[in-house]
Amino acid sequence: MTSKPLDYENLNENIKKCQYAVRGELYLRASELQKEGKKIIFTNVGNPHALGQKPLTFPRQVIALCQAPFLLDDPNVGLIFPADAIARAKHYLGLTSGGLGAYSDSRGLPGIRKEVAEFIERRDGYPTDPELIFLTDGASKGVMQILNTTIRGASDGILVPVPQYPLYSATIALLGGSLVPYYLEETANWGLDVNNLRQSVAQARSEGITVRAMVIINPGNPTGQCLSESNLKEVLNFCYENNLALLADEVYQQNIYQDERPFISARKVLMGMGLPVSRELQLVSFHTVSKGYWGECGQRGGYFEMTNLPPKTVEEIYKVASISLSPNVPAQIFMGLMVNPPKPGDISYDRFVKESNGILESLRRRAQIMTDGFNSCRNVVCNFTEGAMYSFPQIRLPAKIIEAAKAAGKEPDVFYCLKLLEATGISTVPGSGFGQKPGVFHLRTTILPAEEDMPEIMASFKKFNDEFMDQYDEYAGYSRI
Ligand code: DCS
């Protein structure tokens, strides 16, 4: 038989190379076990509604009306929908050319890009231009589009934090570029040390790589840290000195669980730095409707905002966006609602605030319960989740577990996570999927299971972990190091 173009051995090598652990081996095994009837707690993916989070009422009312505009003509519409939701649905339908069933401009509806620009100005205190904001199908599509625009070949490098969210490693692999890692400091609450950046860039350059851009994830996934203003300034200066574009992944900007370091955008810090940096440094910032207290992952809405990119580049990005015709139109409306929620005095304001605060306050408590739970376990140390949706404990695996993993042909953290899954149904992602220092092991869970289920989940984790450690640890019975 002749080999055919789409036979495995003939595929694009970049496709085979790229890996995405969030839905990798552990997830597949968990799905199998679920089919066999085992109760699985899916903490592998930051997907709040899948774990029971209820949608916010106001945005769903608006979207329902936009999807079913004939309801607006129904004399009883005011009995079911509040007047501000009705007005908002009419507003958004008025921004489309043909409702939700029509393609929009490939950059997104101009009226919603204007709402995004107004939100950014309110948030940062600096105006921005709707023409430099593109709406996307989730932040993922925007990140892929910008990496695609940046990477010209194998010798183009992108600085990416380690640990990182594997959208970055996977996309760089798909595009045939080079990932240049910089390590976050676990002992400094996953802080970003500019000396590590310098070393990483020097190392990459010595290997003939042209480092073109740097990624920050703030708040961090999987690491949960929030960057301070001074740290962001250092990063921006570093990018300026080294002629790097900065890609600021800020999808968790509403998910903050401490008060010392509120979210501050890279753009705000950049604008505050003054000339020449504020006028020259090229920055692309990403946001989404999937996270925050919205958690509308399935809607696939996002945007990116470009700062200091020349018009000809923006035109090229527009051209490429045009190939996909149009981002999802309902998702664009979600984005409009996210950046322009009910205001004080609106009929739906109190309910909206109550619902969103309820979610955020519970997430803050869950972040604490998880961190405390992990830190009470044998051979486990865990930084507090300052922001985002994840806990990333370090699991100090004794040599005997590492040997047992090798014998089973598994990475030690994969081995541990599989055993955890089989014993408890808790489906996590091994740290190796995000990158970690050699010989140091982690796992990632989301902090999303329902708050009332948390104590039981943590107790079940502790029981598994402590027994597993006892089984293998030659120092069993000694206190934790
Ligand atoms: N950037 C970061 C840092 C993310 O964590 C995610 C999603 C995205 C971008 C993309 O999100 P959308 O495309 O939905 O806007 N995080 C995944 C994760 O780690 N678990 O769940 C989803």
Side-chain angles (χ1 to χ4, degrees):
M1 272 257 290
T2 49
S3 88
K4 302 205 175 67
L6 292 182
D7 287 350
Y8 180 77
E9 61 276 17
N10 296 332
L11 296 183
N12 176 346
E13 284 302 321
N14 292 343
I15 297 273
K16 295 192 221 168
K17 249 190 276 165
C18 98
Q19 290 186 352
Y20 185 70
V22 172
R23 296 212 161 153
E25 179 178 354
L26 259 290
Y27 173 73
L28 297 177
R29 180 72 189 123
S31 306
E32 258 172 37
L33 288 172
Q34 191 184 37
K35 262 189 221 142
E36 290 165 17
K38 189 171 173 70
K39 182 172 177 275
I40 302 295
I41 303 150
F42 282 100
T43 68
N44 60 306
V45 58
N47 193 10
H49 292 213
L51 289 166
Q53 185 176 307
K54 295 276 170 296
L56 299 167
T57 306
F58 180 75
R60 289 297 185 99
Q61 288 170 327
V62 174
I63 288 287
L65 289 167
C66 290
Q67 288 282 14
F70 44 83
L71 292 179
L72 292 167
D73 302 327
D74 190 304
N76 291 327
V77 67
L79 298 178
I80 305 175
F81 294 96
D84 54 353
I86 295 172
R88 194 66 86 82
K90 287 181 179 163
H91 159 74
Y92 285 126
L93 285 171
L95 297 180
T96 67
S97 46
L100 269 52
Y103 293 132
S104 72
D105 186 289
S106 311
R107 297 164 297 184
L109 293 162
I112 293 183
R113 290 157 59 214
K114 185 165 161 279
E115 288 184 327
V116 174
E118 287 161 0
F119 153 76
I120 293 172
E121 178 168 356
R122 273 196 313 277
R123 186 194 65 188
D124 293 347
Y126 299 95
T128 180
D129 181 356
E131 293 300 299
L132 301 175
I133 294 162
F134 284 20
L135 304 180
T136 51
D137 296 342
S140 309
K141 280 287 162 65
V143 167
M144 291 169 124
Q145 207 171 332
I146 296 301
L147 287 173
N148 195 6
T149 309
T150 311
I151 294 172
R152 299 166 300 184
S155 61
D156 273 354
I158 309 288
L159 264 174
V160 172
V162 174
Q164 52 105 31
Y165 170 49
L167 164 67
Y168 292 93
S169 49
T171 308
I172 293 167
L174 268 182
L175 296 169
S178 293
L179 185 148
V180 179
Y182 65 91
Y183 284 103
L184 301 173
E185 289 299 332
E186 183 163 15
T187 50
N189 225 4
W190 295 113
L192 192 168
D193 182 344
V194 183
N195 290 322
N196 290 353
L197 294 177
R198 289 205 179 90
Q199 271 176 17
S200 298
V201 168
Q203 171 74 25
R205 286 188 180 144
S206 75
E207 291 165 13
I209 289 171
T210 312
V211 185
R212 309 241 307 141
M214 169 173 174
V215 174
I216 53 170
I217 306 176
N218 179 37
N221 174 9
T223 39
Q225 82 287 14
C226 297
L227 295 178
S228 68
E229 179 170 359
S230 61
N231 209 189
L232 278 165
K233 233 179 235 172
E234 287 180 316
V235 167
L236 287 157
N237 271 324
F238 176 82
C239 288
Y240 183 70
E241 284 159 18
N242 287 278
N243 196 21
L244 307 179
L246 182 65
L247 311 186
D249 185 327
E250 299 176 333
V251 299
Y252 297 103
Q253 59 189 268
Q254 290 177 331
N255 299 96
I256 308 285
Y257 314 121
Q258 42 74 42
D259 302 318
E260 299 81 57
R261 271 187 306 288
F263 172 75
I264 178 162
S265 74
R267 180 182 156 86
K268 179 175 170 126
V269 179
L270 174 63
M271 290 298 127
M273 284 167 77
L275 300 175
V277 190
S278 63
R279 192 70 67 70
E280 289 182 22
L281 190 123
Q282 299 184 326
L283 168 69
V284 185
S285 311
F286 302 91
H287 201 6
T288 183
V289 302
S290 301
K291 310 296 170 185
Y293 40 84
W294 294 67
E296 292 276 8
C297 299
Q299 312 289 354
R300 311 306 300 129
Y303 76 74
F304 61 85
E305 182 208 13
M306 299 166 277
T307 304
N308 296 329
L309 266 56
K312 282 184 92 167
T313 300
V314 177
E315 265 173 45
E316 291 297 305
I317 297 172
Y318 183 14
K319 180 183 75 186
V320 172
S322 312
I323 303 171
S324 308
L325 296 162
S326 162
N328 298 320
V329 177
Q332 296 183 42
I333 295 176
F334 267 103
M335 182 52 85
L337 288 158
M338 189 178 98
V339 296
N340 188 13
K343 293 184 187 48
D346 291 353
I347 303 164
S348 298
Y349 178 75
D350 287 346
R351 181 174 191 175
F352 180 82
V353 170
K354 189 163 172 271
E355 288 175 353
S356 42
N357 284 351
I359 294 168
L360 271 187
E361 283 160 15
S362 168
L363 281 172
R364 188 186 266 245
R365 289 191 295 270
R366 283 181 266 172
Q368 194 66 59
I369 296 171
M370 273 223 151
T371 310
D372 292 346
F374 284 132
N375 281 321
S376 77
C377 295
R378 228 174 116 64
N379 294 352
V380 179
V381 279
C382 185
N383 282 322
F384 175 62
T385 300
E386 297 175 347
M389 291 184 172
Y390 312 95
S391 188
F392 197 59
Q394 185 187 132
I395 316 289
R396 295 185 166 158
L397 295 175
K400 282 191 178 162
I401 296 187
I402 299 176
E403 279 164 31
K406 269 196 196 132
K410 302 277 178 208
E411 289 293 326
D413 56 353
V414 175
F415 182 72
Y416 177 93
C417 291
L418 281 169
K419 294 280 184 200
L420 170 70
L421 172 67
E422 309 269 348
T424 65
I426 304 173
S427 160
T428 58
V429 185
S432 47
F434 306 92
Q436 52 198 354
K437 284 187 175 156
V440 182
F441 304 106
H442 298 86
L443 60 81
R444 188 190 82 168
T445 67
T446 68
I447 57 165
L448 297 175
E451 196 174 338
E452 62 270 23
D453 298 339
M454 274 287 182
E456 196 187 320
I457 293 173
M458 293 319 288
S460 140
F461 177 87
K462 182 173 169 58
K463 181 167 180 298
F464 159 78
N465 175 81
D466 291 6
E467 285 176 9
F468 192 61
M469 293 293 174
D470 276 348
Q471 193 184 329
Y472 284 97
D473 193 344
E474 51 200 304
Y475 301 109
Y478 287 60
S479 62
R480 180 150 58 85
I481 8 161

